[in-house]
Amino acid sequence: MADKRFFRSRDPVPLGDIAERIGAGIAQTSDAGRQMSGVASLDVAGPDEVSFLDNPKYVDAFAKTKAGACIVHPRFADRAPAGTALLLSEQPYRAYSLVAQLFYPDEAVGTDTFGSPGNVSERATVHPSAKLGENVTIEPGASVGAGAEIGRNTVIGTNTSIGKGCTVGKDCFIGPNVTVSHAHIGDRVMLHPGVRVGQDGFGFAMGYPRHEKVPQLGRVIIQDDVDIGANTTVDRGAGPDTVIGEGTKIDNLVQIGHNVEIGRGCIIVAQTGISGSAKLGDFVVLAAQVGVTGHLTINSGAQIAARGAVVHDVPAGQQYGGLPAKPIAEWRREVVELRKLGRRPKTGNKPSEQ
């Protein structure tokens, strides 16, 4: 159950309206006029809350739930307990996300963290030449530099720095302790606490007697609807820009090097590192702790398994894994063969008896 100190739910919604929003069918025995007031997991949901079943692992919990309504695939409908209304969907988890957004819209887009939405704090520092749109929130300790522009309804969190000349679009959430420099950010972007955008890329001309710094003269371009997790770093380009495409979702603790180009709708999971000048096509997936060598291309739709080390270009739509990364079927065969070798008995000669 959502803690009301942190999460504010909207007024109750009839089950029929919920079904219409998510494109689900209502089981014949369910009351479309039944009022729902929130969402919760199967094990704690009450009679006025909506839950969901997506993973068959939780069918037993579904059979025991006290939820007032549950989003479920039709094949599990016969396991429902008495009194639970059913919303039938081919994609229960996706449908649940839409219901959760319905009840908690602020949490889907980010909201102020201090408690004074729509206000510029007296303890914030905003340069006289900066431009703020309507209903912008600037929380205590934040700073907005010369010539920066912040779009309407955007939140700039506590102790966050928006550097000179940067632009941030409409309806963004820039969380606490974020730094943004040399960057242009689109609409509906979420930067979670501790994100660093636009700092120098790791550019040095190496040699004796010292490594010479190469000025990083590019920018970071973050397109609309991007979400970047806590403590992720995005270096600005060395000359060309670093670009993150529309709708891409990036987890915590990811490193994105200078000149990297990331396409639309990509998923990049925690502790992944992408070296400079690498290119990702649209809808690429990098699982946790993937490493990507610089100056290569992972083409659209490709997926890299966790801890994969990408050292060559990856064709479109392919699944790769391993170190170095290779087609996933080949990698799995190698893992099986290595396991067999590990189980093979020792064959050394026994010492001769005297």
Side-chain angles (χ1 to χ4, degrees):
M1 182 178 296
D3 189 328
K4 294 181 180 179
R5 292 175 296 179
F6 306 125
F7 310 108
R8 183 179 302 172
S9 177
R10 59 167 290 171
D11 294 335
V13 181
L15 194 62
D17 291 358
I18 294 174
E20 182 177 354
R21 172 178 171 79
I22 65 177
I26 303 179
Q28 292 181 350
T29 57
S30 303
D31 178 11
R34 186 170 181 175
Q35 297 287 318
M36 298 287 111
S37 62
V39 294
S41 60
L42 288 167
D43 55 343
V44 301
D48 63 345
E49 293 176 312
V50 180
S51 192
F52 77 101
L53 171 67
D54 187 60
N55 189 332
K57 178 180 178 181
Y58 299 103
V59 168
D60 289 343
F62 170 55
K64 300 174 184 177
T65 190
K66 292 181 173 56
C70 189
I71 307 165
V72 62
H73 193 281
R75 71 177 182 273
F76 296 121
D78 61 350
R79 299 293 300 274
T84 296
L86 297 183
L87 297 169
L88 304 177
S89 172
E90 297 290 328
Q91 297 180 295
Y93 189 50
R94 184 177 182 85
Y96 169 79
S97 72
L98 296 174
V99 176
Q101 290 175 25
L102 175 65
F103 283 108
Y104 300 97
D106 287 346
E107 301 312 312
V109 298
T111 185
D112 72 293
T113 64
F114 183 70
S116 298
N119 293 311
V120 177
S121 171
E122 294 179 354
R123 289 187 283 153
T125 303
V126 179
H127 194 278
S129 65
K131 298 179 181 179
L132 306 184
E134 297 178 3
N135 200 42
V136 164
T137 302
I138 310 290
E139 295 186 342
S143 67
V144 179
E149 300 179 17
I150 312 295
R152 67 174 181 267
N153 299 325
T154 284
V155 174
I156 307 298
T158 300
N159 295 331
T160 282
S161 171
I162 306 298
K164 61 184 181 182
C166 292
T167 60
V168 180
K170 303 184 297 292
D171 301 305
C172 294
F173 172 77
I174 312 299
N177 298 302
V178 169
T179 59
V180 176
S181 69
H182 305 83
H184 298 302
I185 296 173
D187 299 336
R188 299 175 302 280
V189 169
M190 295 185 71
L191 304 183
H192 294 269
V195 167
R196 310 299 180 197
V197 172
Q199 61 282 335
D200 278 9
F202 191 65
F204 295 90
M206 293 183 291
Y208 183 83
R210 66 179 186 179
H211 307 312
E212 295 292 348
K213 186 172 183 61
V214 178
Q216 304 292 286
L217 305 178
R219 308 167 298 176
V220 174
I221 308 297
I222 299 177
Q223 297 178 0
D224 296 346
D225 299 301
V226 169
D227 193 302
I228 301 181
N231 295 323
T232 283
T233 59
V234 184
D235 294 346
R236 72 174 182 265
D241 296 328
T242 300
V243 180
I244 300 177
E246 178 181 358
T248 285
K249 312 301 181 185
I250 301 172
D251 201 356
N252 303 333
L253 296 169
V254 170
Q255 159 66 10
I256 298 173
H258 59 188
N259 310 335
V260 167
E261 296 181 18
I262 298 174
R264 298 176 298 116
C266 294
I267 298 292
I268 302 173
V269 186
Q271 297 184 346
T272 286
I274 306 175
S275 298
S277 300
K279 295 183 180 181
L280 278 61
D282 298 337
F283 299 99
V284 167
V285 176
L286 305 182
Q289 297 184 338
V290 164
V292 178
T293 302
H295 303 277
L296 56 72
T297 299
I298 302 176
N299 287 282
S300 294
Q303 299 180 345
I304 312 299
R307 296 188 175 181
V310 184
V311 297
H312 301 291
D313 291 353
V314 178
Q318 297 297 301
Q319 293 182 323
Y320 272 45
L323 195 167
K326 60 201 66 164
I328 202 157
E330 180 182 342
W331 173 53
R332 286 170 174 166
R333 286 195 299 270
E334 290 181 357
V335 170
V336 170
E337 293 302 318
L338 285 170
R339 187 176 297 140
K340 289 178 181 178
L341 285 173
R343 292 172 178 170
R344 194 175 286 178
K346 294 181 179 180
T347 58
N349 295 327
K350 293 181 180 180
S352 58
E353 296 181 359
Q354 297 294 329

